[in-house]
């Protein structure tokens, strides 16, 4: 019998090492939030996208219409809907544009386009700024909405409770929900959030219809100077752009959908996106057009304020906003969890354990406490004040 030479031994060793690395990589991917579950249905895509896009910003669209006017306002709303749907379609198509590879995360697509290092430097900071910033805003928005519900329901004598405590109450929900491992695990939360988005949008336009066109309604620009009109116009463009935000988690959502060469993920993903955009249209266009039609250029920057704030309406709207931002927080936090856990496990060689996830996610939620939000608290995120 012959003996194996050194070259054969090295080949066997390298092959074994390669298999071990592949197995280790698969185990890590099966643990990370974005790639751990790929059995989502097309309707998961629908309500995840609704939750990511439709927010309390829809209530400011009538005010944006007042700054834009009928012609430009309607055109910009429709063009924004079409353009953002087209760009979202592009993202869906690019998810698997390289045969045999899925771009599960934004930075992976950036690395493909710009190179391994430059892609990270371009994409990751911008994505983190958006997603962490949105999480902070939603933390404060949820706390302020809870605070308003307490104010409306608690009759005199009623002890005043600081806003920071309500933010802590809102945060306590996320100390629990943030330990759900992946997008599919938060599907129920996301569905509830999507329903709440449609609910408070429906409250806004239906209550406006019931109130009717105001006797002194006017549709001209409110600013008295050309500079003021131009400034208001661009400010309204920002309001519309903010309302149509939500593309930041598209690739990560699509990563949860199963894919084969015969049935790529873009099919069910696109079906969900179309349904989501129908819901977006049902939320945005009635609120924007009916609100402006009824109140003209005297509409408040939040349509609920123009409805003279009946208690039941404001309580319901604030409660719906709380539920919505709970779901939206989780949608925007999941890619951040994935980035942090990927860094710890792949780069710093931490073991992918429940303890690591418990510590990471608690620290992330904890950093959005009132101590870290004191600057944001000075701004008005309350939909009812």
């Amino acid at each position: 019998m012959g003996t194996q030479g050194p070259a054969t031994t090295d080949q066997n060793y390298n092959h074994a090492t390669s298999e071990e690395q592949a197995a280790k990589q698969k185990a890590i991917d099966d643990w990370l939030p974005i790639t751990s579950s790929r059995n989502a249905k097309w309707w998961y895509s629908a309500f995840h996208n609704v939750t990511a896009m439709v927010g309390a910003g829809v209530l400011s669209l009538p005010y944006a219409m007042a700054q834009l006017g009928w012609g430009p306002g309607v055109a910009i709303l429709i063009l924004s809907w079409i353009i953002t749907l087209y760009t979202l379609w592009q993202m869906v198509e690019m998810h698997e544009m390289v045969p045999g590879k899925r771009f599960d995360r934004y930075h992976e697509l950036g690395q493909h386009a710009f190179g391994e290092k430059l892609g990270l430097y371009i994409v990751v900071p911008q994505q983190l700024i958006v997603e962490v910033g949105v999480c902070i805003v939603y933390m404060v928005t949820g706390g302020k909405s809870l605070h308003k519900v307490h104010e409306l329901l608690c009759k005199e004598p009623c002890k005043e409770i600081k806003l920071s405590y309500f933010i802590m109450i809102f945060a306590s929900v996320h100390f629990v929900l943030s330990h759900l491992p992946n997008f599919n695990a938060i599907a129920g939360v996301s569905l509830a959030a999507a329903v709440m988005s449609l609910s408070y949008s429906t409250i806004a336009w239906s209550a406006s219809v019931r109130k009717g066109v105001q006797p002194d309604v006017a549709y001209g620009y409110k600013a008295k100077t050309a500079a003021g009109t131009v400034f208001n116009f661009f400010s309204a463009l920002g309001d519309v752009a903010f309302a149509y935000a939500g593309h930041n988690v598209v690739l990560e959502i699509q990563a949860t959908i199963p894919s084969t060469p015969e049935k790529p993920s873009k099919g069910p993903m696109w079906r969900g996106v179309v349904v989501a955009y129908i819901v977006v249209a049902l939320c945005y266009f009635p609120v924007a057009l009916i609100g402006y039609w009824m109140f003209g250029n005297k509409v408040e920057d939040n349509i609920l304020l123009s409805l003279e704030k009946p208690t039941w309406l404001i309580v319901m709207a604030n409660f719906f906003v709380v539920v919505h931002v709970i779901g939206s927080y989780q949608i925007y936090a999941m890619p951040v969890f994935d980035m942090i856990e990927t860094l710890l496990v792949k780069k710093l060689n931490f073991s992918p354990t429940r303890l690591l996830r418990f510590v990471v996610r608690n620290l992330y939620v904890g950093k959005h406490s009132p101590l870290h939000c004191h600057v944001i608290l000075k701004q008005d995120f309350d939909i009812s004040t």
Side-chain angles (χ1 to χ4, degrees):
M1 294 178 62
T3 59
Q4 292 181 338
T8 304
T9 304
D10 289 343
Q11 289 176 356
N12 291 340
Y13 174 79
N14 291 336
H15 180 69
T17 303
S18 178
E19 287 184 344
E20 289 176 2
Q21 290 176 344
K24 182 180 179 181
Q25 181 64 43
K26 185 179 183 305
I28 292 173
D29 288 339
D30 289 343
W31 180 79
L32 291 172
I34 301 303
T35 52
S36 61
S37 179
R38 294 191 188 269
N39 59 359
K41 308 299 183 182
W42 70 264
W43 53 85
Y44 286 33
S45 161
F47 51 74
H48 282 330
N49 279 290
V50 170
T51 300
M53 180 166 291
V54 181
V58 64
L59 302 176
S60 68
L61 288 179
Y63 184 75
M65 283 291 298
Q67 310 304 320
L68 296 170
W70 276 119
V74 172
I76 289 168
L77 281 176
I78 295 174
L79 283 174
S80 297
W81 190 88
I82 294 171
I83 292 170
T84 54
L85 178 59
Y86 173 68
T87 55
L88 210 160
W89 170 79
Q90 289 181 313
M91 299 300 300
V92 171
E93 290 291 320
M94 286 190 289
H95 181 79
E96 293 173 296
M97 65 181 180
V98 176
K101 182 175 177 59
R102 300 183 70 174
F103 295 113
D104 296 321
R105 302 165 177 88
Y106 257 99
H107 69 80
E108 293 175 2
L109 185 59
Q111 288 174 299
H112 176 75
F114 302 109
E116 287 294 318
K117 289 188 176 181
L118 185 59
L120 285 176
Y121 296 151
I122 291 176
V123 174
V124 171
Q126 295 185 68
Q127 190 176 11
L128 282 175
I129 288 170
V130 171
E131 289 172 348
V132 174
V134 167
C135 286
I136 293 174
V137 170
Y138 282 162
M139 186 74 75
V140 178
T141 304
K144 295 198 80 172
S145 294
L146 284 174
H147 188 220
K148 193 62 182 180
V149 169
H150 174 263
E151 286 182 346
L152 292 170
L153 295 180
C154 186
K155 305 300 181 182
E156 295 292 343
C158 187
K159 183 178 180 181
E160 175 65 22
I161 301 177
K162 291 181 179 180
L163 176 59
S164 57
Y165 294 137
F166 286 99
I167 297 177
M168 290 179 177
I169 293 171
F170 183 82
S172 67
V173 176
H174 296 290
F175 279 115
V176 177
L177 293 181
S178 291
H179 297 292
L180 295 173
N182 50 53
F183 270 119
N184 289 345
I186 62 171
V189 179
S190 181
L191 174 60
V195 172
M196 293 300 101
S197 299
L198 185 59
S199 298
Y200 63 71
S201 298
T202 303
I203 285 177
W205 69 259
S206 60
S208 298
V209 170
R210 183 176 181 181
K211 194 169 182 65
V213 179
Q214 299 305 291
D216 57 346
V217 68
Y219 301 108
Y221 293 124
K222 201 170 183 179
K224 299 184 183 301
T225 65
T229 301
V230 171
F231 179 83
N232 289 341
F233 190 93
F234 281 103
S235 177
L237 289 179
D239 290 338
V240 175
F242 178 77
Y244 279 100
H247 287 41
N248 308 81
V249 290
V250 171
L251 292 177
E252 286 83 354
I253 291 171
Q254 190 170 348
T256 66
I257 297 176
S259 181
T260 63
E262 297 77 23
K263 293 183 178 180
S265 63
K266 65 182 181 181
M269 178 66 180
W270 178 243
R271 191 187 311 173
V273 166
V274 170
V275 172
Y277 258 72
I278 291 172
V279 175
V280 169
L282 293 174
C283 291
Y284 285 16
F285 291 105
V287 172
L289 302 179
I290 293 174
Y292 183 45
W293 180 23
M294 298 301 159
F295 299 103
N297 59 18
K298 292 185 178 179
V299 68
E300 299 288 345
D301 58 0
N302 187 303
I303 184 63
L304 295 181
L305 303 183
S306 298
L307 299 174
E308 296 182 354
K309 303 184 292 187
T311 301
W312 68 270
L313 178 68
I314 300 303
V315 169
M316 285 181 63
N318 275 280
F319 177 75
F320 290 161
V321 169
V322 170
V323 176
H324 163 72
V325 295
I326 286 174
S328 294
Y329 182 99
Q330 291 300 314
I331 290 291
Y332 280 93
M334 197 62 71
V336 182
F337 294 153
D338 184 81
M339 288 185 196
I340 298 172
E341 291 168 6
T342 298
L343 174 67
L344 292 174
V345 173
K346 290 188 175 182
K347 300 296 182 182
L348 302 181
N349 296 320
F350 281 80
S351 298
T353 62
R354 290 185 179 181
L355 177 60
L356 177 66
R357 179 163 285 167
F358 179 83
V359 173
V360 165
R361 299 192 179 189
N362 279 346
L363 287 175
Y364 181 80
V365 175
K367 89 178 189 65
H368 294 145
S369 69
L371 291 176
H372 295 269
C373 296
H374 66 280
V375 175
I376 302 229
L377 288 176
K378 296 178 182 178
Q379 303 180 24
D380 186 14
F381 293 103
D382 191 359
I383 69 166
S384 54
T385 58

